[in-house]
Amino acid sequence: MRKNSMKNTRINGEVQRTLAEIIRSEIKDPRIAPLTSVVSVEVAPDLKTCKAWISVYGDEEIQKSTLEGLKSAEGYIRRELARRVNLRNTPEIRFIVDQSIAYGVKMSKLIDEVNRKETGE
């Protein structure tokens, strides 16, 4: 199966939707921030591994504790994923904190700051 095949794209979307639902509504770990979202998912073509990029609203300490909470709940998340999504293999999930949203906000603030200086406000 090619990396960008239609089947792999559908699997990525389904796994992303299901992971977001599990994290949002079923995990009761207090370490996981309430504003945690699954930004992107990349399932390997052999369905053995999965990288899940998550975005966490908050500072670095909140992101770190959310990542720890997700790693400790990985077995439960994987079991629920296997129950809900019919795949030949249930992938091993690796959570990665996605910094792109925070980076975009930072860049927007810098651009606004430069624009204010140019207009003389």
Side-chain angles (χ1 to χ4, degrees), residues 15-89:
V15 169
Q16 178 180 354
R17 186 187 63 74
T18 306
L19 277 179
E21 191 176 298
I22 292 169
I23 291 170
R24 182 182 62 245
S25 63
E26 295 191 21
I27 297 180
K28 305 289 188 247
D29 193 329
R31 293 177 290 185
I32 298 174
L35 293 175
T36 301
S37 59
V38 180
V39 177
S40 176
V41 168
E42 185 179 302
V43 179
D46 64 355
L47 304 176
K48 299 278 188 208
T49 60
C50 167
K51 292 179 188 174
W53 285 271
I54 58 165
S55 175
V56 181
Y57 182 75
D59 61 359
E60 202 169 307
E61 189 63 37
I62 293 172
Q63 291 177 356
K64 198 177 289 186
S65 71
T66 298
L67 205 55
E68 288 173 9
L70 287 172
K71 283 180 182 175
S72 73
E74 186 179 341
Y76 173 78
I77 293 171
R78 193 170 176 204
R79 190 168 48 252
E80 280 298 306
L81 188 64
R83 193 175 64 77
R84 295 178 187 196
V85 181
N86 187 16
L87 295 174
R88 187 174 357 115
N89 298 321

Side-chain angles (χ1 to χ4, degrees), residues 71-120:
K71 283 180 182 175
S72 73
E74 186 179 341
Y76 173 78
I77 293 171
R78 193 170 176 204
R79 190 168 48 252
E80 280 298 306
L81 188 64
R83 193 175 64 77
R84 295 178 187 196
V85 181
N86 187 16
L87 295 174
R88 187 174 357 115
N89 298 321
T90 304
E92 217 174 278
I93 305 164
R94 199 171 97 217
F95 293 102
I96 303 166
V97 176
D98 183 30
Q99 302 289 349
S100 63
I101 294 174
Y103 180 77
V105 169
K106 180 182 172 189
M107 284 294 129
S108 281
K109 286 181 181 178
L110 289 173
I111 291 169
D112 290 345
E113 191 177 303
V114 168
N115 285 337
R116 273 197 300 270
K117 286 181 183 177
E118 285 181 358
T119 58

